[in-house]
Amino acid sequence: MQDRQTVLVVDDQAHHRSTLRGLLGSAYQVIEAADGNEALQLIEGCFSRLALILLDIDMPGIGGLEVLRTMGDRGWLKSIPVFLIIEEGKTENLAMAYELGVMDVVEKPFRPEVVRRRVDSVVELYAHRFELERVVREQTAHIREREHQLRQTNKSIVETLSAAIEFRDCSSEVHVRRVREVTRLLLEDVMEFWPEYGLDQEQVKQISDLSVMHDIGKAAVPDALLNKNGRLTGEEFEQIKAHTVYGGELVTHISFTQGDHVHSYCYDICRHHHERWDGRGYPDGLKGEEIPIWVQAVAIADVYEALISNRVYKPAYEAEEAIRMILDGECGAFNPKILTSLRRVAPRLLMELKGEAEQDGGGAGGKEPGLVRPARREEASTDAQTLFELEQEKYRVMAELSEDMIFTYNALFDSMEFSEKFCKVFQIPAYMQDYERYHSSPRMLFPEEYEQLEEKRQSLSWAVPELEMDLRLPLPDGSRSWFHLTLHLLLDRRDRTRELGYVGRLTNINRIKSEATEWQKRANTDALTQLCNRAGAHVLFEELLREGRDGAVPLTVAFMDIDHFKDLNDTLGHEAGDQILIRFGRNVRGLFRPDDIVSRFGGDEFLVVMKNMGDPVFTQSKLGQLCSQSIRIDQCDQPLEVSGSIGVAFYPRDGVEFDDLLRKADQALYHSKRSGRGRVSFYADLTSEQTN
């Protein structure tokens, strides 16, 4: 806004333009237009430099209202405030002008002090707003950058661990995928039939994902041992066993953003997945329930997958045979409860294994040659295929670890699916049928946000398939949190008018919104007096109006300033002037109720809005206490006698818009000054005098 120091004066009368140029030329660069068409050309050419426009309503050709409409259509009114120039007393088009976006009104003949003060106030207000927007943008970008860096760090950790698993052991890619699926099936059964372990769906999901890291310690084991084609010696076996210790040590150096419990799951899995129920496992010889239930599940999954896979030291067993060997204790002792779970999930394991074999062209006997990773000396094309599968697996894991919440709507079946994180946050089922009939978006959203979402949703098309917006959603605890919604429309490629559904993503931005709200609060507060400033007063006034939307709540709008403040400031110094403003503002604040609006409007001007108050007699008595005050400041030994002039307008009697009421209270304020200062004047009395 520092570059916006140009004021455009639009008036078909040259002497009016000359008058305004004389009033504002010392503080601003003034450019002129004699008609609406010339004005629009200047606005387009000087848009980035314009601080304000003074626009005559009555001009030949394109008039002031038409210029306003064009500016609104082009989005210019969001950045450039407009003052409407009207003849005194001609108010018939004011309602339309305010509706189109006029900021304020100045009347001809011009009153120099009024014009200059209003222009300065509005230019300062917009400069403050632009600065606030800049700060909020910078803070938001900074916060998003920090979150992005955190996610990138997590991604790097997962990719590093995945790479260590997938490339150190020739058969790891298939191995880890099966271990995860078997672990999930076993823990889901434990969750359902063994409630004493206290597992829930989120834990099952986290543990299953972490199970892929169980052999991460093999990164420290030599390749020659991992791929030895023959029986290991006792010393070599001890080296292999050490991968559990190495894995545990590696995990201790990783910070898990999901919490300490996830860190504990991963550590236990990496270190203890070779422990056995009878205490004959390694490395710590844990026994019975000393072994966490999630580790017991990973241990069985690891053994089962090793049995049904080809290894350099053995051929694969039939799946049925592998399950029998585990149940009969041929692979070590396991918890009887989890063995019961294995019996229950065995049919599903066999079906999934059969489906994998058929899909990959595998032979009978569970050997699945298509799923066994080739030796390192095989053709590069096979290695490329394995790497492709690795990338698929890696990105699937990353999607599951993402902080975003995903949902997908299928229009063909009228069904909605939600990601695990979505279900956890909102405590809803992962799948809903007959969604359009069931869903409760109008009830979940604030009305204005629901209307905005529906409007954006209806506007989606092949050309514009995606929408974004911020909205507040209810959480299970009754609170509401801010989320950023991204929704992408899915269309039939053969018929672009046919909707197949949509994919959406929710990201929690409550922290970002909270910080932005704090910056907004600071921006709406006067730094010197700690009262709200002009922008803050406007916001609070609109809130009062919303509170009384069902019926007009009477309000008293009082505009005041300190008489001869410039003389006091020049005589005693700026520091004394600041103290006078602080003491005066403190006296004003102390005289009114907490829910009344008290604002330092700028300079020595103050605004008071009294709620549920429209009685002139009471108002005269209340405000009269501010017309004469004794103020003590450090620079003077004796109290200063300070007077104040006050103007009053009533809502809704004198007006219903904030700027209109402020303008009328300002007129009453100047009547107080012309009448001798140190008094209260009412706008209604001025209109009565003019009528008489």
Side-chain angles (χ1 to χ4, degrees):
M1 192 66 183
Q2 293 177 352
D3 297 333
R4 293 180 180 264
Q5 293 297 316
T6 301
V7 171
L8 171 62
V9 177
V10 186
D11 198 309
D12 60 317
Q13 300 294 320
H15 66 280
H16 289 157
R17 301 197 303 272
S18 177
T19 300
L20 291 171
R21 183 173 63 251
L23 291 176
L24 303 173
S26 62
Y28 305 95
Q29 178 187 0
V30 179
I31 59 176
E32 302 175 22
D35 56 51
N37 186 53
E38 184 181 1
L40 292 173
Q41 293 180 31
L42 283 174
I43 296 171
E44 187 168 12
C46 306
F47 178 80
S48 62
R49 305 195 335 256
L50 287 177
L52 182 133
I53 298 174
L54 290 157
L55 177 65
D56 187 17
I57 192 171
D58 294 318
M59 293 184 295
I62 299 178
L65 294 180
E66 186 61 30
V67 172
L68 281 172
R69 288 191 184 92
T70 303
M71 291 184 66
D73 292 342
R74 297 181 183 181
W76 292 344
L77 291 174
K78 296 178 181 179
S79 301
I80 307 175
V82 178
F83 277 45
L84 202 63
I85 303 173
I86 65 172
E87 295 288 344
E88 188 172 14
K90 290 188 176 182
T91 60
E92 58 270 17
N93 290 318
L94 278 185
M96 175 63 71
Y98 279 119
E99 184 177 337
L100 290 173
V102 160
M103 185 72 183
D104 206 343
V105 174
V106 294
E107 296 180 341
K108 295 183 285 191
F110 303 120
R111 287 182 286 176
E113 188 177 357
V114 174
V115 172
R116 180 59 185 273
R117 177 177 294 184
R118 289 182 179 173
V119 167
D120 289 346
S121 296
V122 171
V123 170
E124 181 183 356
L125 172 65
Y126 268 66
H128 195 67
R129 194 191 80 183
F130 290 148
E131 177 63 15
L132 168 65
E133 291 175 351
R134 182 191 66 79
V135 171
V136 170
R137 283 196 302 270
E138 289 182 356
Q139 290 294 319
T140 301
H142 179 63
I143 292 169
R144 291 193 184 278
E145 177 62 22
R146 283 187 298 175
E147 291 185 346
H148 174 72
Q149 291 174 355
L150 179 60
R151 290 180 182 178
Q152 287 299 106
T153 300
N154 292 340
K155 179 179 179 181
S156 297
I157 292 172
V158 171
E159 289 182 347
T160 300
L161 296 176
S162 297
I165 295 172
E166 294 151 2
F167 292 107
R168 291 288 292 167
D169 187 346
C170 289
S171 58
S172 288
E173 191 278 325
V174 175
H175 178 65
V176 296
R177 175 161 56 87
R178 284 183 181 158
V179 167
R180 182 184 60 242
E181 293 306 309
V182 176
T183 300
R184 177 182 61 81
L185 289 173
L186 288 172
L187 290 180
E188 285 179 348
D189 189 89
V190 170
M191 179 180 67
E192 181 177 359
F193 292 99
W194 311 109
E196 59 267 29
Y197 290 108
L199 291 177
D200 58 35
Q201 193 62 54
E202 180 63 19
Q203 288 175 292
V204 170
K205 175 69 167 54
Q206 291 174 338
I207 294 165
S208 300
D209 289 338
L210 292 171
S211 68
V212 303
M213 299 184 186
H214 69 284
D215 273 341
I216 192 64
K218 288 184 178 180
V221 177
D223 285 345
L225 290 182
L226 289 177
N227 302 309
K228 182 177 180 180
N229 189 7
R231 191 175 187 86
L232 296 173
T233 67
E235 182 180 352
E236 290 171 338
F237 185 55
E238 290 301 318
Q239 288 183 267
I240 290 288
K241 289 166 60 177
H243 79 276
T244 56
V245 177
Y246 299 148
E249 289 178 354
L250 179 59
V251 170
T252 61
H253 298 290
I254 301 174
S255 177
F256 288 83
T257 58
Q258 299 97 323
D260 291 341
H261 64 291
V262 175
H263 187 280
S264 177
Y265 296 152
C266 192
Y267 177 84
D268 289 341
I269 288 170
C270 291
R271 184 176 179 94
H272 299 306
H273 64 280
H274 283 288
E275 303 286 359
R276 293 296 179 259
W277 186 253
D278 57 5
R280 296 182 180 181
Y282 61 87
D284 299 318
L286 299 184
K287 183 178 181 180
E289 297 291 0
E290 293 176 351
I291 310 170
I293 190 63
W294 51 86
V295 176
Q296 298 178 39
V298 175
I300 285 187
D302 183 32
V303 170
Y304 170 76
E305 200 288 324
L307 288 172
I308 65 172
S309 300
N310 285 316
R311 292 290 185 264
V312 293
Y313 54 85
K314 72 164 190 65
Y317 288 95
E318 295 277 359
E320 295 89 341
E321 178 64 11
I323 292 173
R324 184 200 63 75
M325 293 170 67
I326 296 172
L327 294 176
D328 289 349
E330 295 180 22
C331 304
F334 293 100
N335 185 345
K337 293 179 180 178
I338 207 164
L339 289 177
T340 301
S341 293
L342 176 61
R343 289 189 181 92
R344 278 194 287 260
V345 303
R348 293 181 60 184
L349 291 178
L350 298 177
M351 289 179 61
E352 291 183 9
L353 186 61
K354 180 180 179 182
E356 286 181 347
E358 292 176 351
Q359 181 177 354
D360 290 326
K367 299 184 186 239
E368 307 161 294
L371 288 180
V372 178
R373 180 168 175 167
R376 300 182 184 217
R377 291 189 292 265
E378 291 195 6
E379 296 180 358
S381 60
T382 308
D383 287 337
Q385 176 64 28
T386 303
L387 288 174
F388 175 73
E389 293 175 356
L390 161 65
E391 289 301 311
Q392 287 184 313
E393 181 68 12
K394 184 186 303 180
Y395 287 112
R396 190 203 69 78
V397 173
M398 287 307 305
E400 293 178 353
L401 294 177
S402 169
E403 292 299 316
D404 295 330
M405 292 168 283
I406 309 299
F407 57 94
T408 306
Y409 175 67
N410 186 326
L412 301 178
F413 299 100
D414 189 22
S415 62
M416 182 73 86
E417 293 184 55
F418 302 96
S419 67
E420 293 284 348
K421 190 170 292 295
F422 197 112
C423 297
K424 178 184 177 182
V425 171
F426 294 102
Q427 295 185 11
I428 60 174
Y431 182 83
M432 290 185 184
Q433 190 68 38
D434 299 326
Y435 180 74
E436 286 297 326
R437 183 181 66 186
Y438 169 79
H439 85 293
S440 54
S441 295
R443 177 177 57 81
M444 292 176 63
L445 301 182
F446 286 105
E448 62 272 18
E449 292 175 2
Y450 179 72
E451 292 174 6
Q452 181 185 358
L453 176 58
E454 283 297 292
E455 181 179 349
K456 287 176 174 284
R457 171 68 181 85
Q458 294 300 322
S459 67
L460 294 182
S461 64
W462 175 80
V464 184
E466 190 168 276
L467 68 83
E468 292 189 56
M469 67 174 289
D470 295 343
L471 43 75
R472 290 160 290 181
L473 295 177
L475 299 177
D477 63 3
S479 65
R480 282 186 180 266
S481 188
W482 278 102
F483 293 88
H484 181 73
L485 168 68
T486 302
L487 195 71
H488 192 97
L489 187 66
L490 303 177
L491 297 172
D492 190 332
R493 292 183 178 273
R494 293 165 297 182
D495 179 4
R496 292 175 177 173
T497 64
R498 183 188 181 206
E499 294 186 11
L500 301 180
Y502 51 81
V503 176
R505 181 181 71 234
L506 283 177
T507 305
N508 193 311
I509 57 170
N510 211 51
R511 183 177 61 184
I512 296 174
K513 284 286 187 179
S514 297
E515 294 193 13
T517 300
E518 179 60 28
W519 280 102
Q520 182 74 50
K521 181 180 178 181
R522 295 182 188 179
N524 289 341
T525 300
D526 176 59
L528 181 64
T529 63
Q530 296 304 303
L531 301 173
C532 63
N533 56 22
R534 175 174 182 151
H538 200 157
V539 171
L540 294 175
F541 184 86
E542 295 299 327
E543 289 179 359
L544 288 181
L545 294 187
R546 285 195 293 272
E547 289 177 10
R549 68 175 59 179
D550 296 333
V553 177
L555 302 174
T556 297
V557 179
F559 199 44
M560 63 188 74
D561 69 11
I562 301 172
D563 295 328
H564 306 296
F565 178 75
K566 186 177 184 302
D567 295 337
L568 291 170
N569 202 43
D570 292 343
T571 303
L572 300 174
H574 293 293
E575 185 176 349
D578 287 348
Q579 287 203 32
I580 292 173
L581 291 172
I582 293 171
R583 301 293 194 280
F584 188 89
R586 190 176 299 165
N587 291 344
V588 176
R589 177 70 273 179
L591 190 62
F592 297 95
R593 298 166 296 184
D595 57 346
D596 290 333
I597 301 172
V598 177
S599 165
R600 182 193 174 199
F601 222 59
D604 63 328
E605 296 175 331
F606 292 82
L607 174 74
V608 173
V609 179
M610 289 187 285
K611 184 179 177 182
N612 291 313
M613 191 59 62
D615 180 9
V617 176
F618 176 83
T619 301
Q620 175 74 50
S621 173
K622 189 78 169 176
L623 294 174
Q625 301 176 56
L626 298 172
C627 291
S628 179
Q629 301 183 43
S630 292
I631 293 179
R632 287 188 174 275
I633 61 174
D634 297 339
Q635 288 77 5
C636 298
D637 296 333
Q638 300 297 324
L640 291 175
E641 297 299 324
V642 177
S643 67
S645 297
I646 304 174
V648 178
F650 293 108
Y651 169 91
R653 184 191 317 168
D654 297 328
V656 295
E657 298 293 335
F658 179 78
D659 292 329
D660 186 35
L661 288 166
L662 183 62
R663 179 175 59 83
K664 292 174 178 177
D666 193 26
Q667 293 178 15
L669 166 63
Y670 277 94
H671 183 269
S672 292
K673 288 186 174 295
R674 290 193 298 268
S675 302
R677 303 179 187 272
R679 63 190 62 205
V680 180
S681 296
F682 295 89
Y683 176 78
D685 294 339
L686 272 64
T687 56
S688 298
E689 291 176 7
Q690 293 172 359
T691 303
N692 295 332

